[in-house]
């Protein structure tokens, strides 16, 4: 869809028929998706709102410690609507999505692969996750800081499967970690 030539197509979804129009301009272009929706969700880690309708979501990694506002460190050019439409732009480049009243306008690189979804929110998310494979859970020691490191059968600092070292407490000092 997002090639060097202008294109348009219609895509059925539970809330009706979405009209997609691609307008290239050099190395980038605008994809306009005209559809009925009251809520748009996704776009990765966002601090401004859960429902992105009425907002512009810029998907670009930007390191900012506090008061992120519109900025994010974990962007994802993927959204779904309450009416059963979903879209994923498969690119690592900067993207921008303007969620308007009756259309979503996405600024995308030319030759960006666009994946369209139709269905209930859970189905759309499952189809999206299928593009990447199942999520891998981190080891238990990475999420439970109360777990002593180096327990038999666990990997971690100060031990391992055969290690007998137990780290029972940590004190963060001025020169690093002290036992």
């Amino acid at each position: 869809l997002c090639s060097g030539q202008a294109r348009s197509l219609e895509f059925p979804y539970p809330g009706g028929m979405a009209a997609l129009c691609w307008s290239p301009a050099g190395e980038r272009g605008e994809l306009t998706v005209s559809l009925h929706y009251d809520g748009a969700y996704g776009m990765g880690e966002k601090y401004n709102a859960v429902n992105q309708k009425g907002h512009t979501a810029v998907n670009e990694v930007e390191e900012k410690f506090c008061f992120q506002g519109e900025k994010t460190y974990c962007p994802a050019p993927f959204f779904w609507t309450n009416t059963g439409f979903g879209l994923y732009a498969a690119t690592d480049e900067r993207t921008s999505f303007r969620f308007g009243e009756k259309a979503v306008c996405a600024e995308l690189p030319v030759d960006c692969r666009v994946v369209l979804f139709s269905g209930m929110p859970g189905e759309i998310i499952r189809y999206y996750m299928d593009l990447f494979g199942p999520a891998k859970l981190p080891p238990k020691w990475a999420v439970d800081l109360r777990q002593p490191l180096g327990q038999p059968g666990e990997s971690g600092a100060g031990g391992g499967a055969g290690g007998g070292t137990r780290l029972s407490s940590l004190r963060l000092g001025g020169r690093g970690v002290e036992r």
Side-chain angles (χ1 to χ4, degrees):
L1 177 66
C2 298
S3 68
Q5 299 177 354
R7 295 188 173 177
S8 62
L9 68 90
E10 291 187 336
F11 181 77
Y13 68 104
M17 186 70 71
L20 290 86
C21 181
W22 169 249
S23 301
E27 294 182 9
R28 301 189 68 75
E30 184 169 89
L31 177 64
T32 301
V33 182
S34 299
L35 74 163
H36 169 72
Y37 75 107
D38 294 317
Y41 309 96
M43 304 310 293
E45 175 188 70
K46 297 290 178 207
Y47 298 100
N48 58 350
V50 174
N51 182 354
Q52 292 297 309
K53 188 169 185 178
H55 296 274
T56 297
V58 176
N59 290 296
E60 176 179 46
V61 173
E62 188 168 335
E63 184 73 48
K64 183 152 180 10
F65 179 62
C66 292
F67 310 107
Q68 286 90 343
E70 302 286 329
K71 299 178 187 327
T72 182
Y73 188 72
C74 300
F78 162 70
F79 73 91
W80 71 95
T81 69
N82 65 306
T83 54
F85 177 87
L87 184 146
Y88 167 61
T91 181
D92 292 332
E93 294 186 37
R94 180 187 188 277
T95 61
S96 176
F97 292 78
R98 285 188 327 272
F99 294 94
E101 189 61 34
K102 296 184 181 194
V104 177
C105 298
E107 180 194 317
L108 304 170
V110 168
D111 295 329
C112 173
R113 184 172 67 103
V114 173
V115 180
L116 304 176
F117 305 95
S118 176
M120 299 302 292
E123 295 172 312
I124 292 173
I125 293 169
R126 186 174 65 248
Y127 297 146
Y128 171 72
M129 295 298 292
D130 285 347
L131 295 173
F132 305 102
K136 296 188 182 194
L137 294 176
K140 185 178 178 182
W141 62 264
V143 292
D144 188 359
L145 295 177
R146 297 168 298 165
Q147 172 71 34
L149 299 175
Q151 288 285 347
E154 297 284 335
S155 62
T165 305
R166 282 187 62 130
L167 184 59
S168 57
S169 66
L170 291 176
R171 187 175 76 107
L172 299 176
R175 293 182 234 179
V177 177
E178 299 175 13
R179 291 185 195 187

